[in-house]
Amino acid sequence: MLGMCRGRRKFLAASLALLFIPALTWLYLSVGSFQVKPLPLSPLDALSSTPVGGAGERQALELRVRVVEEENRALRRELSRPPRSPSARLPSSDHRGNQSRTHSEEGTGDNESQKAVAVGNSSDCIRQPVVDKCETIHVAIVCAGYNASRDVVTLVKSVLFHRRNPLHFHFITDSIAQQILSSLFHTWMVPAVRVNFYDADELKSEVSWIPNKHYSGIYGLMKLVLTKTLPSDLQRVIVLDTDITFATDIAELWAVFHKFKGQQVLGLVENQSDWYLGNLWKNHRPWPALGRGFNTGVILLLLDRLRKLRWEQMWRLTAERELMSMLSTSLADQDIFNAVIKQNPFLVHQLPCFWNVQLSDHTRSEKCYKDVSDLKVIHWNSPKKLRVKNKHVEFFRNLYLTFLEYDGNLLRRELFGCPSEADHNSENLQKTLSELDEDDPCYEFRRERFTVHRTHLYFLHYEYEPSSDNTDVTLVAQLSMDRLQMLEAICKHWEGPISLALYLSDAEAQQFLRYAQGSEVLMSRGNVGYHIVYKEGQFYPVNLLRNVAMRQVNTPYMFLSDIDFLPMYSLYEYLRKSVVQLDMANTKKALVVPAFETLRYRLSYPKSKAELLSQLDMGTLFTFRYHVWTKGHAPTNFAKWRTATTPYRVQWEADFEPYVMVRRDSPEYDRRFVGFGWNKVAHIMELDAQQMQSAARLHSQASTLACLQSRPFTS
């Protein structure tokens, strides 16, 4: 607690210094719900109530020692508790609109959790209902598609940042979101966090009969079927939209369940727009609602009671009745929730509006709070997001951006004092790391091979179906922030699918997103998969990045390249034809693509083999790494290539590192190689060890690569 509770904190801190001083004064402390009795001012006070003489004095001293020991134990218990969030302050009761009831008025049934004892002048400091620190908080989120999967990460970060309890996320997802989020949480490895997925496709039939005009589509109706979807033994859950940002510990919201009375089964905040009042425009006709209605961006669901009330039948009958006149929903599940509540007001426990401050145009959100420091949950419930009209929008924007770019690796915090539910992989990893010798000069290098990098697959929308002739080829590469400028050029040169692994920080990932969304070239391509591998450690995990990109290839073949290389304009179609000509489906072959480089920043890209040969002869182009590492590409036999018009076989030699097209089932790169040097060499060596024939398929329009960097790129 801050503000009016600061005096108490200073008092507790000062009390620590008194524990080891002969008690000449008395302490009066509040320790949770435990009230400590005052100590005597001096031994004389104790003697005054005991018989005179040595025995009485001894009894008084013994009594005093026991009291002091009990006092110390109580204080230690208090100090062992985790510190409370600075934002966990109770609102005053004079600026909450119709949600301004005091804490004692709202939670009279939860007496134990609300006991507080005054200290000095801090009598106005009232404690929130307490949630056991090891109690698991359950959160349900409907998330479908690439964009929603990216947006929900910001919500999760804000929850993890403030939380002090174990969390169990229940995601209702389509196949796309499940692939992305399962990979993300698996590599995130946040302690005391469990994740379950529920197939949204299996639920579509439950709500597909409801016409819906909302931009969320059919997924915007799936909160209605959570009682049927979530485990039958799950009694309560917090349901959140993906565009939510928490500014406090979610345990505070979980504690509100204790305030439900009677038949209350839904915890909701009043809608802060005038939508359900029907006065936004002429002939505006909303669904029926109680007053202003309720917003379903944040919901507390008592699942066990809802099931007993036959919630499924209740909302279905209501929806069928209202659709006869309304024809469709405008706000998806929110319309149906409100129609049910209109008929059954007793179902709702109205939450204070700071639990869902709704930031969209035409809202009363500013009336919900007196100071932005009082806020609990921000709801960006508008497609316009950060462009809403609100006098505090700059504060909200900064809060949102803070979590958007926050380093997610810092959220891997242990919850001390709670039973660990570490999975088998995590336990094995910790055991392996503990066996490494920290005094080894190569400790950091050896540790890198076991580092689990948080990975967000398909950071942008991806849409591509492989061709039916089984000849399709995906270009595979990896890059960091300083190579973003190559993306547009590669997309212009290669029209086929591309799989890219980007090594970025959380902040750089957002810079990349803005860069991509501002590029007409990149936005016009749906067949490029961007996979973010988040930075961690001091080494560049080049082969790990390549493996991440390779695993997301969904074509039969892949062209293993590097981001600094531009393929000839027709290389994609040329490689597909070579698949058939070389019978690569039935033989183990690697098709070598000769590589060249230029020392110029500007170059007229060769349009044919004849033009390429001319530039080689003039010294405008060179065979790749000709000046610094000839051995790397010498086995390609460029002398033979100049005149060849038919395929020829090349022999593997030490240090050979060509760029090749191989089948998708080819071996991955050895991730022990990090940073600069030998990473591709080792991979080519393994291909040769697995008896893969290397072939160079060349004719008058031979495959060529040209590096447009003035500094030759080496990998």
Side-chain angles (χ1 to χ4, degrees), residues 190-213:
V190 183
V193 171
R194 293 181 59 191
V195 180
N196 281 101
F197 295 96
Y198 308 86
D199 190 355
D201 290 336
E202 296 181 357
L203 304 175
K204 286 183 178 180
S205 60
E206 302 284 341
V207 293
S208 59
W209 56 274
I210 305 173
N212 179 28
K213 294 180 180 179

Side-chain angles (χ1 to χ4, degrees), residues 42-66:
S42 71
L44 295 176
D45 295 309
L47 291 174
S48 64
S49 60
T50 58
V52 179
E57 292 181 3
R58 284 195 299 272
Q59 289 178 351
L61 290 174
E62 289 173 358
L63 175 63
R64 178 168 180 73
V65 169
R66 287 196 295 271

